[in-house]
Amino acid sequence: MSVQTMDLVAVLSMDSNDALCMGLGKVADIMNAKRRDAGYRRLCDSIRHEGISSPILICRSRTGRPIVFNGHHRIAAALECGIKELPVTEDFLDSDDEDWTAWLDRVDGKG
């Protein structure tokens, strides 16, 4: 998987696996919860001084729908630090596992 950059505003408008699990939906919907987590201040300090060292993982559902799968704390910290472009890497979600397939169907509006 190659690393690309993506506009922060575009990432905030994407669906989020964490938000979907909480009955919400978009990345922007869970930023306040991520900011309350232990270690968040330390992450912000690290990003201010060193930048984002690990890309945000965006997965695409079977229908191509982008979902932020990993990196919610880094997105919240980037927003707070004024970072406009995020390093991202993309993958495609697919599985034969029944639980995983049911989750993907819900994400794609089929379940």
Side-chain angles (χ1 to χ4, degrees), residues 56-106:
I56 309 305
L57 175 59
I58 297 172
C59 294
R60 295 208 176 255
S61 71
R62 290 178 290 205
T63 61
R65 185 173 166 186
I67 303 164
V68 173
F69 221 73
N70 187 290
H72 298 85
H73 291 92
R74 283 170 276 156
I75 295 167
L79 184 62
E80 186 168 320
C81 294
I83 295 172
K84 306 279 190 237
E85 296 282 322
L86 301 174
V88 300
T89 187
E90 289 193 43
D91 200 357
F92 191 77
L93 295 176
D94 200 9
S95 177
D96 293 329
D97 178 89
E98 287 182 29
D99 291 336
W100 191 242
T101 300
W103 188 85
L104 285 171
D105 286 345
R106 281 195 309 276

Coordinates of all heavy atoms in Angstrom, one line a residue, residues 56-106:
I56 N -3.0 7.4 8.0 CA -4.4 7.1 8.3 C -4.8 5.9 7.4 O -4.5 6.0 6.2 CB -5.3 8.3 8.1 CG1 -4.8 9.6 8.8 CG2 -6.8 8.0 8.4 CD1 -4.5 9.5 10.2
L57 N -5.4 4.9 7.9 CA -5.9 3.8 7.0 C -7.3 4.0 6.6 O -8.2 4.1 7.4 CB -5.8 2.5 7.8 CG -6.3 1.2 7.1 CD1 -5.6 1.0 5.7 CD2 -6.2 0.0 7.9
I58 N -7.5 4.2 5.3 CA -8.8 4.3 4.7 C -9.1 3.0 3.9 O -8.3 2.6 3.1 CB -8.9 5.5 3.8 CG1 -8.7 6.8 4.6 CG2 -10.2 5.6 3.1 CD1 -8.5 8.0 3.8
C59 N -10.2 2.4 4.3 CA -10.6 1.1 3.6 C -11.8 1.5 2.7 O -12.6 2.3 3.1 CB -10.9 0.0 4.5 SG -9.4 -0.5 5.5
R60 N -11.9 0.8 1.6 CA -13.1 0.9 0.8 C -13.9 -0.3 0.9 O -13.5 -1.4 0.9 CB -12.7 1.1 -0.7 CG -11.9 2.4 -0.8 CD -12.1 3.0 -2.2 NE -11.4 4.3 -2.2 CZ -12.1 5.5 -2.2 NH1 -13.4 5.5 -2.1 NH2 -11.4 6.6 -2.3
S61 N -15.2 -0.1 1.1 CA -16.2 -1.2 1.2 C -16.3 -1.9 -0.2 O -15.7 -1.4 -1.2 CB -17.5 -0.7 1.7 OG -18.1 0.0 0.6
R62 N -17.1 -2.9 -0.3 CA -17.2 -3.6 -1.6 C -17.8 -2.7 -2.6 O -17.6 -2.9 -3.8 CB -18.1 -4.9 -1.4 CG -17.3 -5.9 -0.6 CD -18.1 -7.1 -0.4 NE -19.2 -6.7 0.6 CZ -19.8 -7.6 1.4 NH1 -19.5 -8.9 1.3 NH2 -20.7 -7.2 2.2
T63 N -18.6 -1.7 -2.2 CA -19.2 -0.8 -3.2 C -18.2 0.4 -3.5 O -18.6 1.3 -4.2 CB -20.5 -0.3 -2.7 OG1 -20.4 0.4 -1.5 CG2 -21.5 -1.4 -2.6
G64 N -17.1 0.4 -2.8 CA -16.1 1.5 -3.0 C -16.3 2.7 -2.1 O -15.6 3.7 -2.2
R65 N -17.1 2.6 -1.1 CA -17.4 3.6 -0.1 C -16.1 3.7 0.8 O -15.7 2.8 1.4 CB -18.6 3.2 0.7 CG -19.0 4.2 1.7 CD -20.4 3.7 2.3 NE -20.7 4.4 3.5 CZ -21.8 4.1 4.2 NH1 -22.5 3.1 3.9 NH2 -22.1 4.8 5.3
P66 N -15.5 4.9 0.9 CA -14.3 5.1 1.8 C -14.8 5.1 3.3 O -15.7 5.8 3.6 CB -13.7 6.4 1.4 CG -14.9 7.2 0.8 CD -15.9 6.2 0.2
I67 N -14.0 4.4 4.1 CA -14.3 4.4 5.5 C -12.9 4.5 6.2 O -12.0 3.8 6.0 CB -14.9 3.0 5.9 CG1 -16.2 2.7 5.2 CG2 -15.1 2.9 7.4 CD1 -16.6 1.3 5.2
V68 N -12.8 5.5 7.1 CA -11.6 5.6 8.0 C -11.6 4.5 8.9 O -12.6 4.3 9.7 CB -11.6 7.0 8.7 CG1 -10.4 7.0 9.6 CG2 -11.5 8.1 7.7
F69 N -10.6 3.7 8.9 CA -10.6 2.5 9.7 C -9.6 2.6 10.8 O -9.7 1.9 11.9 CB -10.2 1.3 8.8 CG -10.9 0.0 9.1 CD1 -12.3 -0.1 8.7 CD2 -10.3 -1.0 9.7 CE1 -13.0 -1.2 9.0 CE2 -11.0 -2.2 10.0 CZ -12.4 -2.2 9.7
N70 N -8.6 3.4 10.7 CA -7.6 3.5 11.7 C -6.9 4.9 11.6 O -6.6 5.3 10.5 CB -6.5 2.4 11.6 CG -5.5 2.4 12.7 OD1 -4.7 3.4 12.9 ND2 -5.6 1.4 13.6
G71 N -6.8 5.6 12.8 CA -6.1 6.9 12.8 C -7.0 8.0 13.3 O -6.7 9.2 13.1
H72 N -8.1 7.7 13.9 CA -9.0 8.7 14.4 C -8.4 9.7 15.4 O -8.6 10.9 15.3 CB -10.2 8.1 15.1 CG -11.0 7.2 14.1 ND1 -10.7 5.9 13.9 CD2 -12.1 7.5 13.4 CE1 -11.5 5.4 13.0 NE2 -12.4 6.4 12.7
H73 N -7.5 9.2 16.3 CA -6.8 10.1 17.2 C -5.9 11.1 16.4 O -5.8 12.3 16.7 CB -6.0 9.4 18.3 CG -6.9 8.6 19.2 ND1 -7.3 7.3 19.0 CD2 -7.5 9.0 20.4 CE1 -8.1 7.0 20.0 NE2 -8.2 8.0 20.9
R74 N -5.2 10.5 15.4 CA -4.3 11.4 14.6 C -5.0 12.4 13.8 O -4.6 13.5 13.7 CB -3.4 10.5 13.7 CG -2.3 9.7 14.4 CD -1.7 8.7 13.5 NE -2.5 7.5 13.7 CZ -2.6 6.5 12.8 NH1 -1.9 6.6 11.7 NH2 -3.4 5.5 13.0
I75 N -6.2 12.1 13.4 CA -7.1 13.0 12.7 C -7.5 14.2 13.6 O -7.4 15.3 13.3 CB -8.3 12.4 12.0 CG1 -7.9 11.4 11.0 CG2 -9.2 13.4 11.5 CD1 -9.0 10.4 10.5
A76 N -7.9 13.8 14.8 CA -8.3 14.8 15.8 C -7.1 15.7 16.1 O -7.3 16.9 16.2 CB -8.9 14.1 17.1
A77 N -6.0 15.1 16.3 CA -4.8 15.9 16.7 C -4.4 16.8 15.5 O -4.0 18.0 15.7 CB -3.6 15.0 17.0
A78 N -4.5 16.3 14.3 CA -4.1 17.1 13.1 C -5.1 18.3 13.0 O -4.6 19.4 12.7 CB -4.2 16.3 11.8
L79 N -6.3 18.1 13.3 CA -7.3 19.2 13.3 C -6.9 20.3 14.3 O -6.9 21.5 14.0 CB -8.7 18.7 13.6 CG -9.8 19.6 13.5 CD1 -10.0 20.2 12.1 CD2 -11.1 18.9 13.9
E80 N -6.6 19.8 15.5 CA -6.2 20.7 16.6 C -4.9 21.5 16.3 O -4.7 22.6 16.6 CB -6.0 20.0 17.9 CG -5.8 20.9 19.1 CD -5.9 20.1 20.4 OE1 -6.8 19.3 20.5 OE2 -5.1 20.4 21.2
C81 N -3.9 20.8 15.6 CA -2.6 21.3 15.3 C -2.6 22.2 14.0 O -1.6 22.7 13.6 CB -1.6 20.2 15.2 SG -1.3 19.4 16.7
G82 N -3.8 22.2 13.3 CA -3.8 23.0 12.1 C -3.2 22.4 10.8 O -2.9 23.0 9.9
I83 N -3.1 21.1 10.9 CA -2.5 20.3 9.7 C -3.7 20.2 8.7 O -4.7 19.7 9.0 CB -1.9 19.0 10.2 CG1 -0.7 19.2 11.1 CG2 -1.6 18.1 9.0 CD1 -0.2 18.0 11.7
K84 N -3.4 20.5 7.5 CA -4.4 20.5 6.4 C -4.4 19.3 5.5 O -5.4 18.9 4.9 CB -4.3 21.7 5.5 CG -4.3 23.0 6.3 CD -5.7 23.5 6.6 CE -5.7 24.9 7.2 NZ -6.3 25.0 8.5
E85 N -3.2 18.6 5.4 CA -3.1 17.4 4.6 C -2.6 16.3 5.5 O -1.7 16.4 6.3 CB -2.0 17.7 3.5 CG -2.4 18.8 2.5 CD -3.4 18.3 1.5 OE1 -3.3 17.1 1.0 OE2 -4.3 19.1 1.1
L86 N -3.2 15.1 5.3 CA -2.9 13.9 6.1 C -2.3 12.8 5.2 O -2.8 12.6 4.1 CB -4.2 13.4 6.7 CG -5.0 14.3 7.6 CD1 -6.3 13.6 8.1 CD2 -4.1 14.6 8.8
P87 N -1.3 12.1 5.7 CA -0.8 10.9 5.0 C -1.9 9.8 5.2 O -2.4 9.6 6.3 CB 0.5 10.6 5.7 CG 0.3 11.1 7.1 CD -0.6 12.3 7.0
V88 N -2.3 9.2 4.1 CA -3.2 8.1 4.1 C -2.8 7.0 3.2 O -2.0 7.1 2.3 CB -4.6 8.6 3.6 CG1 -5.2 9.7 4.4 CG2 -4.6 9.0 2.1
T89 N -3.3 5.8 3.6 CA -3.1 4.6 2.7 C -4.4 4.0 2.6 O -5.2 4.1 3.5 CB -2.0 3.7 3.3 OG1 -1.7 2.7 2.4 CG2 -2.4 3.2 4.6
E90 N -4.7 3.4 1.4 CA -6.0 2.8 1.2 C -5.9 1.3 1.0 O -4.9 0.8 0.5 CB -6.6 3.5 -0.1 CG -7.1 4.9 0.2 CD -8.0 5.4 -1.0 OE1 -8.9 4.6 -1.4 OE2 -7.8 6.5 -1.4
D91 N -7.0 0.7 1.4 CA -7.1 -0.8 1.2 C -8.5 -1.1 0.9 O -9.4 -0.2 1.0 CB -6.6 -1.5 2.5 CG -6.3 -3.0 2.2 OD1 -6.4 -3.4 1.1 OD2 -5.8 -3.7 3.1
F92 N -8.8 -2.3 0.4 CA -10.2 -2.7 0.1 C -10.7 -3.7 1.1 O -10.0 -4.7 1.4 CB -10.2 -3.3 -1.3 CG -11.5 -3.5 -1.9 CD1 -12.3 -2.4 -2.4 CD2 -12.1 -4.8 -1.9 CE1 -13.5 -2.6 -2.9 CE2 -13.4 -5.0 -2.5 CZ -14.1 -3.9 -3.0
L93 N -11.8 -3.5 1.7 CA -12.4 -4.4 2.6 C -13.1 -5.5 1.9 O -14.0 -5.3 1.1 CB -13.4 -3.7 3.5 CG -12.9 -2.6 4.5 CD1 -14.0 -2.0 5.2 CD2 -11.9 -3.2 5.4
D94 N -12.8 -6.7 2.3 CA -13.5 -7.9 1.7 C -13.2 -9.1 2.6 O -12.1 -9.2 3.1 CB -13.2 -8.2 0.3 CG -14.2 -9.0 -0.4 OD1 -15.3 -9.2 0.2 OD2 -13.9 -9.5 -1.5
S95 N -14.2 -9.9 2.8 CA -13.9 -11.1 3.7 C -15.0 -12.1 3.5 O -16.1 -11.8 3.1 CB -13.9 -10.6 5.2 OG -13.7 -11.8 6.0
D96 N -14.6 -13.4 3.8 CA -15.6 -14.5 3.7 C -16.2 -14.7 5.1 O -17.1 -15.5 5.3 CB -15.0 -15.7 3.2 CG -14.6 -15.6 1.8 OD1 -15.3 -14.9 1.0 OD2 -13.6 -16.2 1.3
D97 N -15.7 -14.1 6.1 CA -16.1 -14.2 7.5 C -17.6 -13.7 7.6 O -17.9 -12.6 7.2 CB -15.2 -13.5 8.5 CG -15.6 -13.6 9.9 OD1 -15.2 -14.5 10.6 OD2 -16.4 -12.7 10.3
E98 N -18.5 -14.5 8.2 CA -19.9 -14.1 8.3 C -20.1 -12.8 9.0 O -20.9 -11.9 8.6 CB -20.7 -15.2 8.9 CG -20.9 -16.4 8.0 CD -21.8 -17.5 8.6 OE1 -22.7 -17.1 9.4 OE2 -21.6 -18.6 8.2
D99 N -19.5 -12.6 10.2 CA -19.7 -11.4 11.0 C -19.1 -10.2 10.2 O -19.8 -9.1 10.2 CB -18.9 -11.5 12.3 CG -19.6 -12.5 13.2 OD1 -20.8 -12.7 13.1 OD2 -18.9 -13.0 14.1
W100 N -18.0 -10.3 9.6 CA -17.4 -9.2 8.8 C -18.3 -8.9 7.6 O -18.5 -7.7 7.3 CB -16.0 -9.7 8.4 CG -15.2 -8.6 7.8 CD1 -14.7 -8.5 6.5 CD2 -14.7 -7.4 8.4 NE1 -14.0 -7.4 6.3 CE2 -14.0 -6.7 7.5 CE3 -14.9 -6.9 9.7 CZ2 -13.4 -5.5 7.8 CZ3 -14.3 -5.6 10.0 CH2 -13.6 -5.0 9.0
T101 N -18.8 -9.9 6.9 CA -19.7 -9.7 5.8 C -20.9 -9.0 6.2 O -21.4 -8.1 5.5 CB -20.0 -11.1 5.1 OG1 -18.8 -11.7 4.7 CG2 -20.9 -10.9 3.9
A102 N -21.5 -9.3 7.3 CA -22.7 -8.7 7.8 C -22.4 -7.2 8.1 O -23.2 -6.3 7.8 CB -23.2 -9.4 9.1
W103 N -21.3 -6.9 8.7 CA -20.9 -5.5 9.0 C -20.7 -4.7 7.7 O -21.2 -3.6 7.5 CB -19.6 -5.5 9.8 CG -19.3 -4.1 10.3 CD1 -19.7 -3.5 11.4 CD2 -18.4 -3.1 9.7 NE1 -19.2 -2.2 11.5 CE2 -18.4 -2.0 10.5 CE3 -17.7 -3.1 8.5 CZ2 -17.7 -0.9 10.2 CZ3 -16.9 -2.0 8.2 CH2 -17.0 -0.9 9.0
L104 N -20.1 -5.3 6.7 CA -19.9 -4.7 5.4 C -21.2 -4.4 4.7 O -21.4 -3.3 4.1 CB -19.0 -5.5 4.5 CG -17.5 -5.5 4.8 CD1 -16.8 -6.6 3.9 CD2 -16.9 -4.1 4.6
D105 N -22.2 -5.3 4.9 CA -23.5 -5.1 4.3 C -24.2 -4.0 5.0 O -24.9 -3.2 4.3 CB -24.3 -6.4 4.4 CG -23.9 -7.5 3.4 OD1 -23.2 -7.2 2.5 OD2 -24.3 -8.7 3.6
R106 N -24.1 -3.9 6.3 CA -24.7 -2.7 7.0 C -24.1 -1.4 6.5 O -24.7 -0.4 6.3 CB -24.5 -2.9 8.5 CG -25.5 -3.8 9.1 CD -25.6 -3.7 10.6 NE -24.3 -3.7 11.3 CZ -23.7 -4.8 11.7 NH1 -24.2 -6.0 11.4 NH2 -22.5 -4.8 12.3

